[in-house]
Amino acid sequence: MGDVYCSDCKRATEVVFDHSAGDTVCSECGLVLESHSIDETSEWRTFANESGDNDPVRVGGPTNPLLTDGGLSTVISKPNGVTSDFLSSSLGRWQNRGSNPDRSLILAFKTIATMSDRLGLVATIKDRANEIYKKVEDQKSSRGRNQDAILAACLYIACRQEDKPRTVKEICSVANGATKKEIGRAKEYIVKQLELEMGQSVEMGTIHAGDFMRRFCSNLGMNNQAVKAAQESVQKSEEFDIRRSPISIAAAVIYIITQLSDDKKPLKDVSIATGVAEGTIRNSYKDLYPHMSKIIPSWYAKEEALKNLCSP
């Protein structure tokens, strides 16, 4: 019950919600203030004496168009009761004997979901990775290859296509033991297979150094002003012909910005946060140094501060 304004009583009165009809009724005059309301609460009741393992939900998950049965198949769980041995030896055995054509797909999708969760990726990237894997699996040409590398490569391509790229090293950290080399080979293989199926080149999206800045800066705990300066510096660095990978440029810019701030970060910390080797950061720093005055925003650092930076 709660107080709601009643048009007949001309004042706020207590109302009663009729769950069976979905009506909100004034308790004094009986006027139906709202009808056919949608009850957004749970559709079940949970009692205190029920065990925590019981799941009273009677609805399944959403349909999955990538699966043959739409993901609506039934799985018989093993109960903890007295008849568990009987059920597990009869119903469970018959279910295991049944051929499920989507069993490998379901396991692959679960692995992709686990990797996505560990990387903090959104659902659209996970779904795109599932679609890519489904296309590759339908061609029946990935047998004998490293499955973990294939799944990791699907996730890497999905990140690129959704303009949320991750480094190969980041993907490798959740790839269940697959190496960077294996993931790189799997990526080339998947792209080749998709091009054969589609008859055209696969759009992977262009990687920019700015795509990694906010995440790398967050790993180092940089303040908002330093993050803003790093993002502006990366955008200006694209105007110059600096022949380094976007990840290396991002790491070098972050190192420069931290050296110009009060909270200076050692090169080792920047290397750990970005996943770029210290030697690579030094070489990128060397390439950026001649353009320092044009890259670093003037509002963040004056020319005198730039001159005080160590020469490469």
Side-chain angles (χ1 to χ4, degrees):
M1 298 178 68
D3 292 341
V4 177
Y5 181 81
C6 178
S7 57
D8 279 8
C9 300
K10 305 297 183 182
R11 58 188 176 86
T13 60
E14 287 189 339
V15 296
V16 178
F17 184 72
D18 185 357
H19 292 272
S20 59
D23 297 338
T24 302
V25 183
C26 175
S27 60
E28 296 191 8
C29 66
L31 177 67
V32 177
L33 302 178
E34 186 178 359
S35 61
H36 303 294
S37 302
I38 297 176
D39 186 5
E40 298 180 353
T41 59
S42 302
E43 60 141 358
W44 60 80
R45 297 174 63 191
T46 303
F47 299 94
N49 59 351
E50 291 183 351
S51 62
D53 295 334
N54 285 343
D55 183 9
V57 63
R58 297 192 301 274
V59 294
T63 59
N64 189 342
L66 300 179
L67 300 178
T68 304
D69 57 3
L72 300 178
S73 58
T74 301
V75 177
I76 302 175
S77 62
K78 296 181 180 180
N80 297 322
V82 180
T83 59
S84 60
D85 295 336
F86 168 76
L87 289 175
S88 61
S89 62
S90 56
L91 296 179
R93 186 184 302 169
W94 281 109
Q95 179 171 260
N96 292 331
R97 286 179 181 176
S99 59
N100 186 356
D102 295 330
R103 180 173 298 177
S104 61
L105 276 179
I106 293 173
L107 293 176
F109 292 165
K110 286 182 179 179
T111 303
I112 291 176
T114 301
M115 291 191 295
S116 300
D117 292 340
R118 291 177 63 184
L119 288 173
L121 302 177
V122 295
T124 53
I125 296 178
K126 181 190 70 174
D127 295 339
R128 176 62 65 89
N130 290 342
E131 293 175 7
I132 295 172
Y133 180 78
K134 171 67 170 162
K135 292 179 180 178
V136 175
E137 181 68 16
D138 287 344
Q139 297 182 13
K140 304 295 182 183
S141 59
S142 62
R143 292 179 180 177
R145 296 180 177 271
N146 188 331
Q147 188 74 359
D148 292 326
I150 292 289
L151 296 174
C154 290
L155 194 60
Y156 175 81
I157 296 172
C159 291
R160 290 277 299 271
Q161 292 183 344
E162 293 293 327
D163 295 327
K164 300 293 182 183
R166 292 295 188 272
T167 65
V168 179
K169 185 171 286 188
E170 288 177 303
I171 298 293
C172 185
S173 65
V174 298
N176 299 324
T179 63
K180 290 174 60 177
K181 197 171 186 179
E182 291 172 335
I183 295 174
R185 289 176 179 173
K187 186 204 76 171
E188 294 177 0
Y189 162 76
I190 291 172
V191 171
K192 185 178 180 180
Q193 294 298 317
L194 294 179
E195 289 176 349
L196 290 174
E197 180 189 11
M198 299 170 59
Q200 60 184 7
S201 60
V202 178
E203 291 293 335
M204 291 280 288
T206 306
I207 294 180
H208 300 280
D211 297 332
F212 307 97
M213 292 303 296
R214 184 167 293 277
R215 191 166 69 255
F216 288 168
C217 292
S218 176
N219 293 339
L220 280 169
M222 298 168 61
N223 58 46
N224 293 334
Q225 190 176 17
V227 173
K228 183 179 178 182
Q231 290 176 326
E232 290 186 16
S233 300
V234 161
Q235 291 178 354
K236 292 181 181 179
S237 68
E238 295 179 354
E239 301 174 2
F240 302 94
D241 185 20
I242 302 173
R243 299 183 179 180
R244 295 284 175 181
S245 68
I247 301 172
S248 302
I249 294 175
V253 168
I254 290 175
Y255 176 69
I256 295 170
I257 293 298
T258 57
Q259 297 308 303
L260 293 171
S261 66
D262 296 332
D263 185 18
K264 293 179 172 57
K265 305 289 184 182
L267 184 61
K268 183 179 180 181
D269 290 353
V270 177
S271 175
I272 295 173
T274 59
V276 181
E278 295 182 26
T280 304
I281 298 177
R282 289 194 191 96
N283 293 333
S284 301
Y285 175 84
K286 183 178 180 180
D287 294 340
L288 290 171
Y289 190 80
H291 314 288
M292 199 79 72
S293 59
K294 298 179 180 179
I295 292 177
I296 304 301
S298 57
W299 59 266
Y300 185 76
K302 304 299 180 182
E303 290 188 10
E304 296 179 359
L306 295 177
K307 293 178 181 179
N308 293 331
L309 287 174
C310 298
S311 58

mmCIF file of all heavy atoms in Angstrom, residues 17-57:
data_model
loop_
_atom_site.group_PDB
_atom_site.id
_atom_site.type_symbol
_atom_site.label_atom_id
_atom_site.label_comp_id
_atom_site.label_asym_id
_atom_site.label_seq_id
_atom_site.Cartn_x
_atom_site.Cartn_y
_atom_site.Cartn_z
ATOM 1 N N PHE A 17 -2.966 -2.613 -4.321
ATOM 2 C CA PHE A 17 -2.637 -3.192 -5.619
ATOM 3 C C PHE A 17 -3.178 -4.605 -5.699
ATOM 4 O O PHE A 17 -2.834 -5.466 -4.881
ATOM 5 C CB PHE A 17 -1.117 -3.203 -5.835
ATOM 6 C CG PHE A 17 -0.708 -3.703 -7.194
ATOM 7 C CD1 PHE A 17 -0.915 -2.939 -8.326
ATOM 8 C CD2 PHE A 17 -0.137 -4.964 -7.335
ATOM 9 C CE1 PHE A 17 -0.544 -3.390 -9.573
ATOM 10 C CE2 PHE A 17 0.232 -5.434 -8.588
ATOM 11 C CZ PHE A 17 0.027 -4.640 -9.713
ATOM 12 N N ASP A 18 -4.055 -4.851 -6.666
ATOM 13 C CA ASP A 18 -4.643 -6.174 -6.897
ATOM 14 C C ASP A 18 -3.737 -6.929 -7.868
ATOM 15 O O ASP A 18 -3.749 -6.674 -9.077
ATOM 16 C CB ASP A 18 -6.055 -6.026 -7.478
ATOM 17 C CG ASP A 18 -6.760 -7.372 -7.628
ATOM 18 O OD1 ASP A 18 -6.114 -8.398 -7.327
ATOM 19 O OD2 ASP A 18 -7.934 -7.378 -8.043
ATOM 20 N N HIS A 19 -2.958 -7.866 -7.341
ATOM 21 C CA HIS A 19 -1.988 -8.567 -8.174
ATOM 22 C C HIS A 19 -2.647 -9.447 -9.227
ATOM 23 O O HIS A 19 -2.104 -9.617 -10.319
ATOM 24 C CB HIS A 19 -1.063 -9.429 -7.288
ATOM 25 C CG HIS A 19 -0.162 -8.615 -6.412
ATOM 26 N ND1 HIS A 19 1.071 -8.170 -6.825
ATOM 27 C CD2 HIS A 19 -0.326 -8.143 -5.146
ATOM 28 C CE1 HIS A 19 1.647 -7.475 -5.857
ATOM 29 N NE2 HIS A 19 0.816 -7.448 -4.822
ATOM 30 N N SER A 20 -3.772 -10.037 -8.909
ATOM 31 C CA SER A 20 -4.417 -10.950 -9.856
ATOM 32 C C SER A 20 -4.947 -10.205 -11.082
ATOM 33 O O SER A 20 -4.883 -10.710 -12.200
ATOM 34 C CB SER A 20 -5.559 -11.705 -9.173
ATOM 35 O OG SER A 20 -6.529 -10.783 -8.677
ATOM 36 N N ALA A 21 -5.477 -8.996 -10.882
ATOM 37 C CA ALA A 21 -6.038 -8.225 -11.992
ATOM 38 C C ALA A 21 -5.087 -7.158 -12.504
ATOM 39 O O ALA A 21 -5.267 -6.613 -13.597
ATOM 40 C CB ALA A 21 -7.362 -7.559 -11.561
ATOM 41 N N GLY A 22 -4.069 -6.831 -11.710
ATOM 42 C CA GLY A 22 -3.137 -5.787 -12.119
ATOM 43 C C GLY A 22 -3.712 -4.396 -11.963
ATOM 44 O O GLY A 22 -3.345 -3.475 -12.717
ATOM 45 N N ASP A 23 -4.616 -4.213 -11.001
ATOM 46 C CA ASP A 23 -5.282 -2.925 -10.799
ATOM 47 C C ASP A 23 -4.769 -2.238 -9.545
ATOM 48 O O ASP A 23 -4.472 -2.890 -8.543
ATOM 49 C CB ASP A 23 -6.805 -3.108 -10.677
ATOM 50 C CG ASP A 23 -7.418 -3.665 -11.957
ATOM 51 O OD1 ASP A 23 -6.786 -3.506 -13.022
ATOM 52 O OD2 ASP A 23 -8.516 -4.251 -11.880
ATOM 53 N N THR A 24 -4.674 -0.920 -9.629
ATOM 54 C CA THR A 24 -4.357 -0.098 -8.463
ATOM 55 C C THR A 24 -5.642 0.599 -8.037
ATOM 56 O O THR A 24 -6.206 1.407 -8.800
ATOM 57 C CB THR A 24 -3.266 0.950 -8.803
ATOM 58 O OG1 THR A 24 -2.102 0.269 -9.279
ATOM 59 C CG2 THR A 24 -2.917 1.767 -7.577
ATOM 60 N N VAL A 25 -6.145 0.283 -6.820
ATOM 61 C CA VAL A 25 -7.474 0.715 -6.388
ATOM 62 C C VAL A 25 -7.351 1.630 -5.182
ATOM 63 O O VAL A 25 -6.558 1.369 -4.263
ATOM 64 C CB VAL A 25 -8.356 -0.511 -6.033
ATOM 65 C CG1 VAL A 25 -9.768 -0.072 -5.664
ATOM 66 C CG2 VAL A 25 -8.373 -1.500 -7.190
ATOM 67 N N CYS A 26 -8.137 2.706 -5.178
ATOM 68 C CA CYS A 26 -8.191 3.605 -4.032
ATOM 69 C C CYS A 26 -8.899 2.885 -2.886
ATOM 70 O O CYS A 26 -9.988 2.317 -3.062
ATOM 71 C CB CYS A 26 -8.936 4.886 -4.392
ATOM 72 S SG CYS A 26 -9.185 6.014 -2.996
ATOM 73 N N SER A 27 -8.313 2.920 -1.705
ATOM 74 C CA SER A 27 -8.862 2.177 -0.565
ATOM 75 C C SER A 27 -10.080 2.859 0.041
ATOM 76 O O SER A 27 -10.813 2.241 0.804
ATOM 77 C CB SER A 27 -7.781 2.017 0.523
ATOM 78 O OG SER A 27 -7.352 3.294 0.978
ATOM 79 N N GLU A 28 -10.334 4.125 -0.310
ATOM 80 C CA GLU A 28 -11.462 4.845 0.303
ATOM 81 C C GLU A 28 -12.693 4.862 -0.595
ATOM 82 O O GLU A 28 -13.792 4.579 -0.143
ATOM 83 C CB GLU A 28 -11.025 6.271 0.643
ATOM 84 C CG GLU A 28 -9.926 6.310 1.701
ATOM 85 C CD GLU A 28 -9.679 7.711 2.226
ATOM 86 O OE1 GLU A 28 -10.460 8.627 1.874
ATOM 87 O OE2 GLU A 28 -8.709 7.884 2.981
ATOM 88 N N CYS A 29 -12.506 5.172 -1.893
ATOM 89 C CA CYS A 29 -13.671 5.267 -2.774
ATOM 90 C C CYS A 29 -13.784 4.091 -3.739
ATOM 91 O O CYS A 29 -14.808 3.920 -4.404
ATOM 92 C CB CYS A 29 -13.666 6.579 -3.553
ATOM 93 S SG CYS A 29 -12.314 6.721 -4.743
ATOM 94 N N GLY A 30 -12.747 3.299 -3.847
ATOM 95 C CA GLY A 30 -12.796 2.126 -4.721
ATOM 96 C C GLY A 30 -12.518 2.422 -6.180
ATOM 97 O O GLY A 30 -12.670 1.534 -7.031
ATOM 98 N N LEU A 31 -12.077 3.622 -6.510
ATOM 99 C CA LEU A 31 -11.799 3.967 -7.896
ATOM 100 C C LEU A 31 -10.529 3.246 -8.377
ATOM 101 O O LEU A 31 -9.516 3.194 -7.670
ATOM 102 C CB LEU A 31 -11.600 5.485 -8.036
ATOM 103 C CG LEU A 31 -11.224 5.988 -9.439
ATOM 104 C CD1 LEU A 31 -12.375 5.780 -10.409
ATOM 105 C CD2 LEU A 31 -10.812 7.461 -9.390
ATOM 106 N N VAL A 32 -10.616 2.658 -9.563
ATOM 107 C CA VAL A 32 -9.443 2.008 -10.154
ATOM 108 C C VAL A 32 -8.567 3.095 -10.776
ATOM 109 O O VAL A 32 -8.919 3.685 -11.797
ATOM 110 C CB VAL A 32 -9.857 0.963 -11.209
ATOM 111 C CG1 VAL A 32 -8.620 0.348 -11.856
ATOM 112 C CG2 VAL A 32 -10.724 -0.120 -10.587
ATOM 113 N N LEU A 33 -7.447 3.359 -10.146
ATOM 114 C CA LEU A 33 -6.563 4.429 -10.614
ATOM 115 C C LEU A 33 -5.698 3.978 -11.785
ATOM 116 O O LEU A 33 -5.341 4.789 -12.637
ATOM 117 C CB LEU A 33 -5.672 4.897 -9.461
ATOM 118 C CG LEU A 33 -6.400 5.403 -8.211
ATOM 119 C CD1 LEU A 33 -5.405 5.781 -7.115
ATOM 120 C CD2 LEU A 33 -7.273 6.599 -8.562
ATOM 121 N N GLU A 34 -5.354 2.710 -11.824
ATOM 122 C CA GLU A 34 -4.536 2.178 -12.910
ATOM 123 C C GLU A 34 -4.890 0.715 -13.101
ATOM 124 O O GLU A 34 -5.035 -0.028 -12.130
ATOM 125 C CB GLU A 34 -3.039 2.319 -12.579
ATOM 126 C CG GLU A 34 -2.122 1.911 -13.717
ATOM 127 C CD GLU A 34 -0.655 2.122 -13.371
ATOM 128 O OE1 GLU A 34 -0.369 2.607 -12.257
ATOM 129 O OE2 GLU A 34 0.203 1.794 -14.209
ATOM 130 N N SER A 35 -5.033 0.308 -14.359
ATOM 131 C CA SER A 35 -5.430 -1.068 -14.643
ATOM 132 C C SER A 35 -4.394 -1.760 -15.519
ATOM 133 O O SER A 35 -3.624 -1.104 -16.233
ATOM 134 C CB SER A 35 -6.802 -1.103 -15.334
ATOM 135 O OG SER A 35 -6.746 -0.407 -16.579
ATOM 136 N N HIS A 36 -4.406 -3.070 -15.436
ATOM 137 C CA HIS A 36 -3.519 -3.913 -16.252
ATOM 138 C C HIS A 36 -2.050 -3.505 -16.102
ATOM 139 O O HIS A 36 -1.305 -3.390 -17.082
ATOM 140 C CB HIS A 36 -3.927 -3.865 -17.728
ATOM 141 C CG HIS A 36 -5.344 -4.274 -17.981
ATOM 142 N ND1 HIS A 36 -5.809 -5.558 -17.771
ATOM 143 C CD2 HIS A 36 -6.425 -3.545 -18.391
ATOM 144 C CE1 HIS A 36 -7.082 -5.621 -18.069
ATOM 145 N NE2 HIS A 36 -7.488 -4.406 -18.440
ATOM 146 N N SER A 37 -1.660 -3.292 -14.878
ATOM 147 C CA SER A 37 -0.261 -2.943 -14.621
ATOM 148 C C SER A 37 0.613 -4.178 -14.796
ATOM 149 O O SER A 37 0.181 -5.313 -14.589
ATOM 150 C CB SER A 37 -0.096 -2.402 -13.199
ATOM 151 O OG SER A 37 -0.914 -1.271 -13.003
ATOM 152 N N ILE A 38 1.851 -3.939 -15.206
ATOM 153 C CA ILE A 38 2.807 -5.039 -15.396
ATOM 154 C C ILE A 38 3.573 -5.248 -14.099
ATOM 155 O O ILE A 38 4.209 -4.324 -13.587
ATOM 156 C CB ILE A 38 3.779 -4.735 -16.546
ATOM 157 C CG1 ILE A 38 3.011 -4.603 -17.865
ATOM 158 C CG2 ILE A 38 4.850 -5.825 -16.658
ATOM 159 C CD1 ILE A 38 3.880 -4.210 -19.036
ATOM 160 N N ASP A 39 3.497 -6.461 -13.578
ATOM 161 C CA ASP A 39 4.215 -6.790 -12.354
ATOM 162 C C ASP A 39 5.634 -7.213 -12.731
ATOM 163 O O ASP A 39 5.848 -8.245 -13.362
ATOM 164 C CB ASP A 39 3.492 -7.932 -11.623
ATOM 165 C CG ASP A 39 4.125 -8.225 -10.263
ATOM 166 O OD1 ASP A 39 5.047 -7.471 -9.891
ATOM 167 O OD2 ASP A 39 3.702 -9.188 -9.610
ATOM 168 N N GLU A 40 6.600 -6.398 -12.363
ATOM 169 C CA GLU A 40 7.996 -6.663 -12.730
ATOM 170 C C GLU A 40 8.740 -7.462 -11.676
ATOM 171 O O GLU A 40 9.952 -7.673 -11.794
ATOM 172 C CB GLU A 40 8.722 -5.341 -12.982
ATOM 173 C CG GLU A 40 8.124 -4.548 -14.134
ATOM 174 C CD GLU A 40 8.842 -3.242 -14.366
ATOM 175 O OE1 GLU A 40 9.711 -2.895 -13.541
ATOM 176 O OE2 GLU A 40 8.552 -2.571 -15.367
ATOM 177 N N THR A 41 8.043 -7.918 -10.653
ATOM 178 C CA THR A 41 8.697 -8.716 -9.618
ATOM 179 C C THR A 41 8.851 -10.157 -10.090
ATOM 180 O O THR A 41 8.342 -10.542 -11.151
ATOM 181 C CB THR A 41 7.891 -8.674 -8.313
ATOM 182 O OG1 THR A 41 6.579 -9.179 -8.562
ATOM 183 C CG2 THR A 41 7.800 -7.243 -7.797
ATOM 184 N N SER A 42 9.526 -10.969 -9.305
ATOM 185 C CA SER A 42 9.756 -12.365 -9.661
ATOM 186 C C SER A 42 8.440 -13.122 -9.749
ATOM 187 O O SER A 42 7.479 -12.824 -9.035
ATOM 188 C CB SER A 42 10.667 -13.030 -8.624
ATOM 189 O OG SER A 42 11.893 -12.347 -8.537
ATOM 190 N N GLU A 43 8.409 -14.123 -10.623
ATOM 191 C CA GLU A 43 7.170 -14.871 -10.828
ATOM 192 C C GLU A 43 7.065 -16.052 -9.878
ATOM 193 O O GLU A 43 6.157 -16.845 -9.984
ATOM 194 C CB GLU A 43 7.118 -15.379 -12.274
ATOM 195 C CG GLU A 43 8.273 -16.290 -12.642
ATOM 196 C CD GLU A 43 7.855 -17.437 -13.530
ATOM 197 O OE1 GLU A 43 6.676 -17.553 -13.836
ATOM 198 O OE2 GLU A 43 8.723 -18.236 -13.878
ATOM 199 N N TRP A 44 8.006 -16.212 -8.976
ATOM 200 C CA TRP A 44 7.982 -17.341 -8.060
ATOM 201 C C TRP A 44 8.026 -16.856 -6.616
ATOM 202 O O TRP A 44 8.326 -15.712 -6.339
ATOM 203 C CB TRP A 44 9.151 -18.289 -8.333
ATOM 204 C CG TRP A 44 10.491 -17.632 -8.174
ATOM 205 C CD1 TRP A 44 11.162 -17.383 -7.028
ATOM 206 C CD2 TRP A 44 11.310 -17.106 -9.216
ATOM 207 N NE1 TRP A 44 12.342 -16.754 -7.275
ATOM 208 C CE2 TRP A 44 12.462 -16.572 -8.613
ATOM 209 C CE3 TRP A 44 11.187 -17.054 -10.613
ATOM 210 C CZ2 TRP A 44 13.487 -15.980 -9.353
ATOM 211 C CZ3 TRP A 44 12.202 -16.474 -11.346
ATOM 212 C CH2 TRP A 44 13.333 -15.949 -10.710
ATOM 213 N N ARG A 45 7.773 -17.790 -5.722
ATOM 214 C CA ARG A 45 7.891 -17.505 -4.292
ATOM 215 C C ARG A 45 8.976 -18.395 -3.729
ATOM 216 O O ARG A 45 9.045 -19.584 -4.022
ATOM 217 C CB ARG A 45 6.565 -17.785 -3.580
ATOM 218 C CG ARG A 45 5.435 -16.901 -4.054
ATOM 219 C CD ARG A 45 4.126 -17.334 -3.428
ATOM 220 N NE ARG A 45 4.139 -17.190 -1.980
ATOM 221 C CZ ARG A 45 3.220 -17.671 -1.171
ATOM 222 N NH1 ARG A 45 2.216 -18.357 -1.664
ATOM 223 N NH2 ARG A 45 3.293 -17.481 0.138
ATOM 224 N N THR A 46 9.832 -17.819 -2.922
ATOM 225 C CA THR A 46 10.912 -18.575 -2.298
ATOM 226 C C THR A 46 10.662 -18.614 -0.795
ATOM 227 O O THR A 46 10.514 -17.561 -0.170
ATOM 228 C CB THR A 46 12.276 -17.925 -2.577
ATOM 229 O OG1 THR A 46 12.445 -17.845 -3.992
ATOM 230 C CG2 THR A 46 13.394 -18.745 -1.983
ATOM 231 N N PHE A 47 10.594 -19.816 -0.229
ATOM 232 C CA PHE A 47 10.316 -19.971 1.193
ATOM 233 C C PHE A 47 11.606 -20.220 1.951
ATOM 234 O O PHE A 47 12.576 -20.774 1.411
ATOM 235 C CB PHE A 47 9.334 -21.125 1.415
ATOM 236 C CG PHE A 47 8.006 -20.900 0.743
ATOM 237 C CD1 PHE A 47 7.760 -21.403 -0.523
ATOM 238 C CD2 PHE A 47 7.028 -20.152 1.373
ATOM 239 C CE1 PHE A 47 6.543 -21.189 -1.143
ATOM 240 C CE2 PHE A 47 5.806 -19.936 0.765
ATOM 241 C CZ PHE A 47 5.567 -20.455 -0.499
ATOM 242 N N ALA A 48 11.620 -19.807 3.183
ATOM 243 C CA ALA A 48 12.840 -19.872 3.990
ATOM 244 C C ALA A 48 13.295 -21.298 4.228
ATOM 245 O O ALA A 48 14.480 -21.559 4.409
ATOM 246 C CB ALA A 48 12.614 -19.164 5.329
ATOM 247 N N ASN A 49 12.355 -22.264 4.248
ATOM 248 C CA ASN A 49 12.732 -23.639 4.544
ATOM 249 C C ASN A 49 13.206 -24.402 3.315
ATOM 250 O O ASN A 49 13.514 -25.578 3.384
ATOM 251 C CB ASN A 49 11.552 -24.392 5.182
ATOM 252 C CG ASN A 49 10.341 -24.406 4.260
ATOM 253 O OD1 ASN A 49 10.330 -23.727 3.251
ATOM 254 N ND2 ASN A 49 9.321 -25.164 4.645
ATOM 255 N N GLU A 50 13.251 -23.737 2.152
ATOM 256 C CA GLU A 50 13.734 -24.399 0.953
ATOM 257 C C GLU A 50 15.246 -24.331 0.916
ATOM 258 O O GLU A 50 15.863 -23.378 1.391
ATOM 259 C CB GLU A 50 13.153 -23.736 -0.298
ATOM 260 C CG GLU A 50 11.654 -23.969 -0.460
ATOM 261 C CD GLU A 50 11.141 -23.360 -1.748
ATOM 262 O OE1 GLU A 50 11.913 -22.632 -2.388
ATOM 263 O OE2 GLU A 50 9.983 -23.611 -2.102
ATOM 264 N N SER A 51 15.858 -25.344 0.313
ATOM 265 C CA SER A 51 17.319 -25.364 0.234
ATOM 266 C C SER A 51 17.796 -24.333 -0.772
ATOM 267 O O SER A 51 17.082 -23.971 -1.705
ATOM 268 C CB SER A 51 17.805 -26.757 -0.184
ATOM 269 O OG SER A 51 17.312 -27.084 -1.468
ATOM 270 N N GLY A 52 19.023 -23.891 -0.585
ATOM 271 C CA GLY A 52 19.566 -22.863 -1.462
ATOM 272 C C GLY A 52 19.832 -23.353 -2.870
ATOM 273 O O GLY A 52 20.015 -22.555 -3.785
ATOM 274 N N ASP A 53 19.871 -24.684 -3.092
ATOM 275 C CA ASP A 53 20.152 -25.208 -4.418
ATOM 276 C C ASP A 53 18.941 -25.186 -5.328
ATOM 277 O O ASP A 53 19.070 -25.315 -6.540
ATOM 278 C CB ASP A 53 20.672 -26.650 -4.312
ATOM 279 C CG ASP A 53 22.022 -26.708 -3.601
ATOM 280 O OD1 ASP A 53 22.728 -25.690 -3.650
ATOM 281 O OD2 ASP A 53 22.338 -27.757 -3.004
ATOM 282 N N ASN A 54 17.745 -25.066 -4.751
ATOM 283 C CA ASN A 54 16.535 -25.077 -5.558
ATOM 284 C C ASN A 54 16.392 -23.770 -6.315
ATOM 285 O O ASN A 54 16.438 -22.686 -5.731
ATOM 286 C CB ASN A 54 15.293 -25.291 -4.681
ATOM 287 C CG ASN A 54 15.179 -26.734 -4.238
ATOM 288 O OD1 ASN A 54 15.812 -27.594 -4.803
ATOM 289 N ND2 ASN A 54 14.366 -26.975 -3.209
ATOM 290 N N ASP A 55 16.201 -23.854 -7.600
ATOM 291 C CA ASP A 55 15.975 -22.670 -8.417
ATOM 292 C C ASP A 55 14.517 -22.690 -8.862
ATOM 293 O O ASP A 55 14.143 -23.488 -9.720
ATOM 294 C CB ASP A 55 16.904 -22.679 -9.630
ATOM 295 C CG ASP A 55 16.759 -21.418 -10.466
ATOM 296 O OD1 ASP A 55 16.069 -20.487 -10.009
ATOM 297 O OD2 ASP A 55 17.333 -21.370 -11.576
ATOM 298 N N PRO A 56 13.652 -21.852 -8.279
ATOM 299 C CA PRO A 56 12.226 -21.918 -8.582
ATOM 300 C C PRO A 56 11.845 -21.305 -9.921
ATOM 301 O O PRO A 56 10.682 -21.290 -10.289
ATOM 302 C CB PRO A 56 11.593 -21.120 -7.431
ATOM 303 C CG PRO A 56 12.660 -20.151 -7.033
ATOM 304 C CD PRO A 56 13.963 -20.842 -7.263
ATOM 305 N N VAL A 57 12.798 -20.781 -10.668
ATOM 306 C CA VAL A 57 12.452 -20.152 -11.934
ATOM 307 C C VAL A 57 11.923 -21.200 -12.910
ATOM 308 O O VAL A 57 12.447 -22.300 -13.017
ATOM 309 C CB VAL A 57 13.667 -19.415 -12.536
ATOM 310 C CG1 VAL A 57 14.771 -20.377 -12.860
ATOM 311 C CG2 VAL A 57 13.258 -18.650 -13.775
#
